[in-house]
Amino acid sequence: MHKPRLHPVASFDINFLQYLDERGQATQALPDSATPDLLQSLYRQMNLARLVDQRAVQLQRTGRLGTYPSSLGQEAIGVGVGSAMQADDVYCPYYRETGALLERGVEIEEILAIWGGDERGQDYQHAPEDLPLCVPIATQLLHAAGVAFALQYKQRQMGESARVAVTCAGDGATSKGDFYEALNLAGVWKLPVVFVINNNQWAISVSRGAQSASRTIAQKAIAAGIQGLQVDGNDVIAVRTAVADAIELARGGEGPALIEAVTYRLCDHTTADDASRYCPPEQLEQARTREPLLRLGTYLREQGFWDDGAESEMQREQAEVMERALQAYHARPAESPTAMFDHLYGTLPEAFLEQYEELQYLRARDRQESG
Amino acid sequence: MAEITLVEAVNQALAHELAADPRVILFGQDIGANGGVFRATDGLQKRFGDERVRDTPLAENMIAGIAVGMAVQGLRPVAEFQFMGFIYPGLDHILSHAARYRNRTRGRLSCPVVYRAPYGGGIHAPEHHSENTEAIFAHIPGLRVVVPSSPARAYGLLLAAIRDPDPVVFLEPKRIYRAVRQEVPDGGEALPLDRCFRLRDGSDVTLVAWGAALKETLEAAEALSAEGIEAEVIDPATLKPLDIHTIIDSLEKTGRCVVIHEAARFAGLGAEITAQINEYAFDLLKAPVQRVTGYDTVMPYYRLEDCYLPDGERILAAVRKTLDYPAGGDR
Ligand SMILES: Cc1ncc(C[n+]2csc(CCOP(=O)(O)OP(=O)(O)O)c2C)c(N)n1
């Protein structure tokens, strides 16, 4: 058979970044930013995220919270991303983001409120420009591209300071057109946006391998002409460093990046899911040995930056913080039913007044009857 | 003052807002050097630069989605879809996000975006270029749906849409893009949203129509007038939220109503208008409300287009039916 001669016109590498291996040993010199103080604070934040998740799941089990998506085992991604951002950068999250929200200053009580069915939970006062949690898969990636355009535009046309949009999604999200469209546009328009993929190996029950035949998710950046990098998503130092570097490049006008953070979901998809139906137990057991808190904890102890005393002090403090948040959550007065109209439009159009008044009237009547 | 067409009025409004407000930015397919396939953005990129008037890659879902991100960051994005038949990939962002941002953040973030699309049939375009699916958008809580029917209303309503703090789907009836010319002062004066326009006074029957269908509707009203029947013609212009009061006020005089639209009949806006009339003004009715609409079929290729679109004859027949009700005279 005749074999035509081919010339390579392009070739690419996908790199992997890791600082701490599964046993908590440094695989290379840590970045200068990884001071003992910072590492301790990342450890604390990951632990807090885990605690919030755990209590949220308990609340759901006892009927005091709706469906909740835990991030057990993936805390290094949320905390790494959140801590890499500047306060005035804009976060465009999906729904599995407790660690990042805490880093952004969102109150625990607000996080519980969101999943407890109270829409005021997304009225974050501590991250006023961040987008609310996004439930439809992958759409937030395009919103982040739009936000990034706005930030770039306001910098160029209105003299505002350079800011960056950061957005997260799961591995399942990378199958959607939104993902490709966002990467493509970000590349063409050189937008200041960092895409972080939480590759936790599952999209509910569909495995990473069933989602895409691509060897890595990071390489999907190549088609869009942007930077792609894979990081150890259980290594908070690697996540934080990769995201921080990408943010600074984007801030400097160097364009977008895609970061794939490889981790494993150690929990059910949500409280409505039962992962034992599809998740091989040996795989799960293996994955438990690689989880991020254990890893950083081991490193900190071996370096002499952490000990049993510090651990029990942290647990005691965080239990108190959590207790206060739970009390605040339980004490929240219900929102007025008419609130569903209050934020529908800037000003309620006349056409809705009748429905609004009907709701007010029915509620007043209910109150009278029950009072 | 020069007389301009509806599409030129759209261009004039866009230019006015680009000049007046640095937050306004335009983007879509072929809107830059090409000025849009209908020339709605003609000359705007030259005048305002390619940062403010931008061609995008070809992806409607993306166009709808980035508009959301821009809007929540305080810009005033105006996104053009080349044809309404191609807006569907963007529905997810328009319905699931733009329409809901204010609500889901309890007022913290709003989404002041305008989604523009040429709509409707009658220009002998290929398949999927002639859709009339305004009811999809009108059904969605949190959206506004606006359809201009003259150059002056296109100018004034588009200004209002861009300045509105909430998302607006702005559908431009392309069949009448160049049908009439009118003097439209470029004074930056917006027309009110959520208000019907009364285009003609009459006391015998109320005709409600919007967009291109008003052409045949107004012609029918003239024909009726020659017979001594005076039709009141109402253009809702903002289809959602609907100003039903103006329509009912008109029914106080006429007691009879015909709703005319190009969209398919089933669950079209004629159904909503009829239902509201029944709820609020049943006692005013001397005859059932009639609908003259497109058929519940796929919009046909253009050789059958004229059979699909409501024409003067069908409008006149519906009017006669309401006037003759009950058939044969006395009730
Ligand atoms: C567009 C869309 N389709 C389906 C769903 C239902 N759903 C919720 S989460 C999920 C899996 C998402 O997996 P992945 O993107 O990997 O994120 P993960 O939950 O694993 O973090 C699905 C199918 C949805 N929310 N949105």
Side-chain angles (χ1 to χ4, degrees), chain A residues 104-106 124-131, chain B residues 108:
Chain A
R104 297 296 291 162
V106 176
Y124 326 134
Q125 293 311 310
H126 299 286
E129 290 183 62
D130 285 3
L131 305 195
Chain B
R108 176 168 61 90

Side-chain angles (χ1 to χ4, degrees), chain A residues 130 133 153-154 335 345-346, chain B residues 22 73 104 106 108 143 166:
Chain A
D130 285 3
L133 299 187
Y153 180 88
K154 290 196 284 188
E335 198 177 15
Y345 295 90
Chain B
Q73 260 299 316
R104 64 202 271 240
R106 282 301 184 251
R108 176 168 61 90
L143 290 183
D166 293 306

Side-chain angles (χ1 to χ4, degrees), chain A residues 17-21 24-35 38-40 42-43 46 76-77 79-81 83-84 231-245 292 295-296 299-300 303:
Chain A
L17 179 69
Q18 182 193 57
Y19 288 101
L20 290 186
D21 70 11
Q25 308 298 309
T27 54
Q28 59 175 315
L30 300 197
D32 292 344
S33 58
T35 59
L38 175 78
L39 296 185
Q40 286 164 353
L42 294 175
Y43 181 75
M46 290 198 291
I77 300 175
V79 170
V81 169
S83 73
V231 304
D232 187 328
N234 293 329
D235 171 2
V236 70
I237 307 172
V239 175
R240 184 179 192 277
T241 306
V243 175
D245 289 352
R295 183 179 302 200
L296 184 59
Y299 177 81
L300 286 175
Q303 298 297 311

Side-chain angles (χ1 to χ4, degrees), chain B residues 90-127:
Chain B
L91 282 181
D92 189 15
H93 288 279
I94 303 174
L95 314 189
S96 308
H97 294 293
R100 303 166 67 119
Y101 244 96
R102 180 186 292 285
N103 187 63
R104 64 202 271 240
T105 60
R106 282 301 184 251
R108 176 168 61 90
L109 299 174
S110 64
C111 200
V113 51
V114 178
Y115 293 112
R116 293 179 42 238
Y119 105 122
I123 64 157
H124 293 192
E127 195 181 1

Side-chain angles (χ1 to χ4, degrees), chain A residues 144-282:
Chain A
V147 166
F149 173 86
L151 298 176
Q152 185 186 63
Y153 180 88
K154 290 196 284 188
Q155 187 197 353
R156 288 190 196 157
Q157 302 265 332
M158 302 171 178
E160 292 190 7
S161 61
R163 299 159 67 195
V164 176
V166 179
T167 181
C168 289
D171 44 302
T174 66
S175 294
K176 276 196 65 183
D178 299 65
F179 169 73
Y180 294 99
E181 292 174 16
L183 258 54
N184 185 56
L185 183 81
V188 181
W189 287 4
K190 230 177 177 198
L191 296 175
V193 54
V194 177
F195 301 98
V196 180
I197 299 304
N198 173 337
N199 174 4
N200 65 11
Q201 311 303 329
W202 297 100
I204 309 189
S205 68
V206 177
S207 68
R208 158 68 181 83
Q211 205 68 238
S212 169
S214 184
R215 167 83 179 75
T216 67
I217 289 174
Q219 76 201 56
K220 291 173 186 261
I222 304 303
I226 72 175
Q227 289 300 312
L229 176 71
Q230 195 180 59
V231 304
D232 187 328
N234 293 329
D235 171 2
V236 70
I237 307 172
V239 175
R240 184 179 192 277
T241 306
V243 175
D245 289 352
I247 288 176
E248 285 329 301
L249 285 174
R251 201 187 306 288
E254 298 296 314
L258 170 68
I259 295 170
E260 172 190 5
V262 183
T263 182
Y264 198 94
R265 202 184 77 207
L266 296 179
C267 47
D268 294 332
H269 167 70
T270 64
T271 48
D273 174 53
D274 172 10
S276 71
R277 295 169 66 90
Y278 52 84
C279 176
E282 342 49 91

Side-chain angles (χ1 to χ4, degrees), chain B residues 112-196:
Chain B
V113 51
V114 178
Y115 293 112
R116 293 179 42 238
Y119 105 122
I123 64 157
H124 293 192
E127 195 181 1
H128 300 115
H129 286 67
S130 305
E131 314 305 294
N132 287 281
T133 40
E134 66 263 29
I136 295 177
F137 298 99
H139 184 64
I140 302 306
L143 290 183
R144 273 195 167 72
V145 182
V146 177
V147 179
S149 62
S150 71
R153 281 187 293 282
Y155 178 80
L157 291 170
L158 184 50
L159 290 183
I162 297 172
R163 293 170 193 173
D164 193 83
D166 293 306
V168 178
V169 176
F170 194 83
L171 302 173
E172 298 162 12
K174 58 183 179 290
R175 178 154 68 91
I176 57 167
Y177 256 160
R178 298 188 167 80
V180 288
R181 293 186 167 272
Q182 205 180 9
E183 282 189 0
V184 183
D186 191 10
E189 215 158 301
L191 286 169
L193 299 173
D194 310 350
R195 284 273 169 276
C196 290

Side-chain angles (χ1 to χ4, degrees), chain B residues 6 119 147-150 171-173 175-176 209-216 235-237 239 260 262:
Chain B
L6 197 156
Y119 105 122
V147 179
S149 62
S150 71
L171 302 173
E172 298 162 12
R175 178 154 68 91
I176 57 167
W210 51 91
L214 271 164
K215 185 165 178 289
E216 289 75 28
D235 172 10
L239 303 181
I260 300 110
E262 288 191 11

